Amino acid sequence: MAEYDLTPREVAPVDTAYRRIRTKLPVPESLPILETLRRTEPRSMSGQPPVVWDRAEGLHVYDRWGNMWLDWSTGVLVANVGHGRREIRDALKAVIDRPLLATYVFVHELRAELMERLLSLAPPKAEYRVFILSTGSEACENAIKLARTYGVHKGGERKHVIVSFENAFHGRTLGSQLAGGMKKLKTWIVKTDCGFVQTPFPDGFKNPNTDFGQFLDTLSGHGLTGEDVAGVITESYQGVGPDFFPDEYAKRLEHWCRENDVMLIADEVQSGFVRTGKMFWYQHYGIEPDLICCGKGITSSLPLSAVIGRADIMDLYPPGSMTSTHSGSPLPVAAALANLEIIEREKLVENAAALGGPLGEGLADIQRKHPEHIGMVQARGLVAGMQMVKPGTKEPDPQAALAINVACFERGLLMFAPVGVAGECVKIAPPLITTADALQDGLVALDEACGAVLS
Ligand SMILES: Cc1ncc(COP(=O)(O)O)c(C=O)c1O
């Protein structure tokens, strides 16, 4: 995990239309707050650039001491329609003033409205239902449970295996982590042999083999066939890259799932709600998942997640047996409705799709300046990444990624800590309301940061 130095450093002042830095960083006056958190929270909660947010609006994050960052984190891919949107605040205020703060599993009108709205986004061919929860991990847990329930229901106990991908991330709870593909995150589970199998992800860089045959080979290597498999869960793009499926692979995967009555689970927690320039990732491939996990950008603010799933699978559990205390809590529901309205009204699908080109080109230009250090750049819609390598190799270079992240922070460009198998990926995820001009300003800061660190 990234460790950020809390010693304040003199940094050059920055003043552009989008970024403003006027103090030492971290700001000396912010240290008591950061230190209180380091003392009171587990270490695991540190590890992000040392900025104390005072407010966040649109594309910008502000502290109390006059600094303004251009945000390329979207608060870890949450505030898709921009930070602190008035429409979302107004929708929340209306619910607060009614007042209607908690309903537990009792119903309210906005919940019905949201269900209709989310269902209108489901793939067209089958009948779907929506189950709302609070976190992305819960949505993945629920999809795994539903797939296994369906598998055992259709094929007996044999049909229980969940196949997922190496380096995948599906959350931090037991089931979601068993499905995850990072071994180092699973050492605490010790006994992982309970029907979860991982196959290499066809990213074309870390794994040059992009043929679907590798998926089949993994299964046969474990002595499995489609009759053993209940579901395949995949992050739509792998967060660590971001890495994308080759078209052909995605299509063959869907076909194999259909042939074997295996549930195809799209974990759209990160990619859903327009991150890649489409509402959902699977729309790039013309495939239709059976279960879709949503979270993060579904509200651009409060915690809410959802599983959108085929009705015959979702209805396997009788009344009262698949619920959660905060399912459909009025405030997150109101936020989700306002968020979806903004996505549509402001044509954010079109905006994110249009900016994918310039973002990819800008990164390719930077890579051309540092070909020894930047092993791979990827961009689609408004998600991108630069995978840093030890010069001339494919070996991950987390130190370079961290140094670039810090250099960007000091130039007023905020990104969350590097991700990746070893922390080697500088990940870029601006809010979807980013303009071409703001994107170029961010690319200038990134270019300068790379120049300072890598030259
Ligand atoms: C693809 C994916 N799935 C699941 C999760 C887990 O979501 P949460 O942190 O809301 O539990 C994340 C979070 O980063 C994610 O990116």
Side-chain angles (χ1 to χ4, degrees), residues 76-77 134-140 168-173 176 234-239 267-271 293-296 304-305 427:
V76 192
L77 301 119
S134 305
T135 69
S137 303
E138 279 179 293
C140 292
F169 184 74
H170 298 293
R172 299 211 187 269
T173 52
S176 62
T234 178
E235 274 170 289
S236 28
Y237 61 78
Q238 275 205 325
D267 176 354
E268 299 263 7
V269 169
Q270 194 174 121
S271 55
C293 306
C294 309
K296 288 188 185 276
L304 186 134
S305 64
K427 178 108 168 247

Side-chain angles (χ1 to χ4, degrees), residues 269-324:
V269 169
Q270 194 174 121
S271 55
F273 303 93
V274 191
R275 181 52 54 195
T276 63
K278 291 213 185 268
M279 184 60 82
F280 292 112
W281 147 85
Y282 65 80
Q283 296 169 327
H284 287 286
Y285 301 92
I287 61 174
E288 302 206 339
D290 303 289
L291 296 159
I292 302 160
C293 306
C294 309
K296 288 188 185 276
I298 192 170
T299 62
S300 288
S301 52
L302 300 193
L304 186 134
S305 64
V307 180
I308 304 176
R310 251 173 47 195
D312 58 327
I313 309 162
M314 300 294 269
D315 283 343
L316 286 170
Y317 282 94
S321 63
M322 196 173 82
T323 60
S324 174

Side-chain angles (χ1 to χ4, degrees), residues 16-37:
T16 76
Y18 300 95
R19 298 173 281 128
R20 190 171 63 230
I21 298 296
R22 293 178 168 164
T23 64
K24 290 183 180 177
L25 290 177
V27 180
E29 292 84 348
S30 72
L31 290 184
I33 302 166
L34 294 167
E35 278 156 6
T36 298
L37 290 169

